[in-house]
Amino acid sequence: MDWWAAGLPMEGAMAQEITALDVVRRDVPTAHVGERVGNVHARAQATGWKICIVVNEKSQVLGRLRRDIWNADPNTRVEEVMEEGPTTFRPNNDLDTLVEKMQKRKVGSVLITDPDGVLIGVLNRQDAEQRLAEMKSEMVPAGEKQ
């Protein structure tokens, strides 16, 4: 289970289950605590993201910068405005179960990390819902599709 929770490749029956790892986006921008908000914001905007994940030198998640932070003074240091200790999930979480939790809590995205807290990426609820809908559509017998 540790292997799977770390997001490493699986074989056998467990490899067939759809998990957070199957939909996670790995291209989320990252920042370090000593950086200035203005520099981080420019980098996030250049990649099309509205958030940025704060990590240490080992890529372990320390916090998150949400879109409302971008209004701060550009010279403000990241550690002064970051949301500390955001909730994270493991890559082997069942996608359907995780989406249900996200819907109940009205959460648009969650962080996916390995057991050591190393950032793997961000799971967007909309992407996950779309993937689940596609899977369910593929499971309908050909004669029943409309």
Side-chain angles (χ1 to χ4, degrees), residues 49-130:
W49 283 86
K50 294 181 175 141
I51 64 166
C52 186
I53 309 306
V54 183
V55 296
N56 65 13
E57 64 281 347
K58 295 180 183 178
S59 292
Q60 293 169 315
V61 173
L62 301 176
R64 172 178 28 211
L65 298 173
R66 294 183 185 264
R67 69 181 98 198
D68 58 325
I69 297 305
W70 305 136
N71 296 325
D73 180 328
N75 291 316
T76 304
R77 294 169 62 101
V78 165
E79 70 261 23
E80 295 176 41
V81 293
M82 74 179 189
E83 171 193 330
E84 294 184 44
T87 302
T88 63
F89 293 89
R90 301 294 167 260
N92 63 321
N93 273 234
D94 173 70
L95 190 62
D96 201 26
T97 304
L98 190 49
V99 166
E100 284 178 23
K101 286 180 185 179
M102 293 172 75
Q103 290 168 338
K104 284 180 185 174
R105 296 178 183 157
K106 296 179 172 55
V107 174
S109 65
V110 294
L111 300 180
I112 306 298
T113 64
D114 74 7
D116 293 323
V118 173
L119 179 66
I120 293 174
V122 171
L123 176 71
N124 288 315
R125 188 177 84 197
Q126 188 175 17
D127 295 344
E129 290 169 338
Q130 181 178 348

